Amino acid sequence: MSRIASAEYPTAALRLMDGFSLEMTGKDVAGLEEAHASTPPGTRINVTFLGNEDLEMRIGAAAAVARAGFVPVPHISARRLSSQAQLEAFLARLQAVGATDHVFAVGGDPARPEGPYPDALSVIRSGVLQRHDVQEVAIAGYPEGHPEIPNDVLWEHLEAKHAALAEQGLATVLLTQFAFDTGPVMAWIREVRSRGIDAQIRIGTPGPAGVKRLISFARRFGIGANAMIVKKYGFSLTNLMGTAGPERFIGGLAADLDADPDAGDVKLHFYTFGGLPATSEWVSSYVGDIQRQETA
């Protein structure tokens, strides 16, 4: 469906791809440099906040993104913060390298909070973000739910975070977990809009990667990956040796969005499971293919 859908809806596919964002870890500055040539200037690049990274890695990566002419979107992992002082110090360092305009506030993985912030909402409500010139905050969305958080709680927190940011004069972006199936994604987008939230939505999309790796991440994050879904996406559970890209997913999503005028502003965010350079090069090639289809 991917190439067919893109050929049938080239304008919708290009609109969806325009302004895509990428993700990197604090350790992947070398990958960022390798991906530079295939990444459009001004591209948003999220910088993770993982347990095996330290402050200098995170700051160094965010600074490298800014120096390269891209827009850094550093992650703030609430449950990994040991104190307000640590949050203040992190934001001050980011501010010094020009990397606080856009941030992504997320709860994070630890089962128990390491400090005073049990979730992203508590970070937002602290007022600390405003003091460091944050202009826009991305918050997490889960089209297929969260393996450990009930859906009603997810929606309650999404609405509360959006409202708190609006009260503080900060813009909101909804950044979703990755998906293999456009059905739950479109249903989630419609639910977001029905709740009066008109913020930009960035749909998490796995960049090209090994099938085993994709399934491993899917299981970790509670993403649907049964035989029917992965066949629709473009790979088979019985053949795990190859790689898979998101062509079908993107083509299908572009077609669905073209048919739904109320979906609002929707973009793509690529999780770089197969590496930042490989993902950036794939996106560049895919966009080129669509442009050629449109002018053929």
Side-chain angles (χ1 to χ4, degrees):
M1 181 171 180
S2 61
R3 299 296 185 183
I4 295 173
S6 296
E8 291 178 354
Y9 300 92
T11 301
L14 288 174
R15 185 168 56 245
L16 180 60
M17 295 293 294
D18 182 49
F20 68 88
S21 51
L22 297 166
E23 189 153 302
M24 65 178 286
T25 71
K27 300 177 180 179
D28 202 20
V29 173
L32 174 68
E33 295 171 353
E34 187 179 344
H36 189 277
S38 57
T39 306
T43 296
R44 298 182 185 214
I45 300 183
N46 285 35
V47 180
T48 58
F49 194 118
L50 303 177
N52 60 357
E53 300 166 351
D54 59 26
L55 175 64
E56 297 306 321
M57 286 181 185
R58 297 167 189 142
I59 300 301
V65 171
R67 284 196 307 270
F70 306 126
V71 176
V73 185
H75 290 198
I76 299 172
S77 182
R79 298 169 75 86
R80 293 192 186 281
L81 295 167
S82 61
S83 64
Q84 179 174 321
Q86 185 186 18
L87 174 58
E88 297 266 13
F90 181 47
L91 288 168
R93 291 286 303 278
L94 288 171
Q95 190 174 10
V97 299
T100 54
D101 281 0
H102 310 266
V103 301
F104 174 44
V106 66
D109 294 333
R112 292 184 179 181
E114 297 175 14
Y117 304 112
D119 47 44
L121 181 59
S122 59
V123 170
I124 292 167
R125 285 177 171 168
S126 72
V128 174
L129 301 180
Q130 292 170 296
R131 295 202 291 271
H132 295 275
D133 291 341
V134 172
Q135 302 298 312
E136 178 188 272
V137 180
I139 56 178
Y142 300 91
E144 296 189 49
H146 189 288
E148 298 178 4
I149 304 174
N151 273 337
D152 59 339
V153 175
L154 289 175
W155 284 113
E156 177 186 345
H157 274 239
L158 184 68
E159 291 182 304
K161 285 182 282 190
H162 179 252
L165 290 170
E167 289 170 5
Q168 295 175 26
L170 302 179
T172 302
V173 169
L174 308 185
L175 175 61
T176 80
Q177 184 54 273
F178 74 93
F180 291 139
D181 188 357
T182 61
V185 169
M186 288 302 301
W188 184 85
I189 290 172
R190 294 186 186 104
E191 180 67 18
V192 167
R193 300 312 188 203
S194 75
R195 291 171 182 259
I197 299 174
D198 61 359
Q200 181 183 82
I201 295 174
R202 289 185 171 266
I203 299 299
T205 307
V211 173
K212 282 186 178 181
R213 187 171 180 82
L214 290 174
I215 292 175
S216 174
F217 276 103
R219 288 172 176 163
R220 176 181 173 186
F221 295 113
I223 306 301
N226 63 41
M228 181 181 69
I229 290 173
V230 298
K231 182 178 180 181
K232 180 180 178 181
Y233 187 80
F235 61 88
S236 169
L237 291 175
T238 61
N239 181 11
L240 305 181
M241 301 307 295
T243 61
E247 296 96 333
R248 293 190 183 190
F249 178 82
I250 294 171
L253 185 60
D256 290 343
L257 290 170
D258 189 72
D260 190 342
D262 298 323
D265 186 7
V266 180
K267 303 293 184 184
L268 296 181
H269 174 76
F270 286 95
Y271 289 96
T272 54
F273 299 136
L276 181 58
T279 303
S280 178
E281 290 166 9
W282 182 91
V283 172
S284 178
S285 175
Y286 183 69
V287 169
D289 285 348
I290 299 173
Q291 290 171 335
R292 284 187 288 274
Q293 289 169 1
E294 189 176 30
T295 57

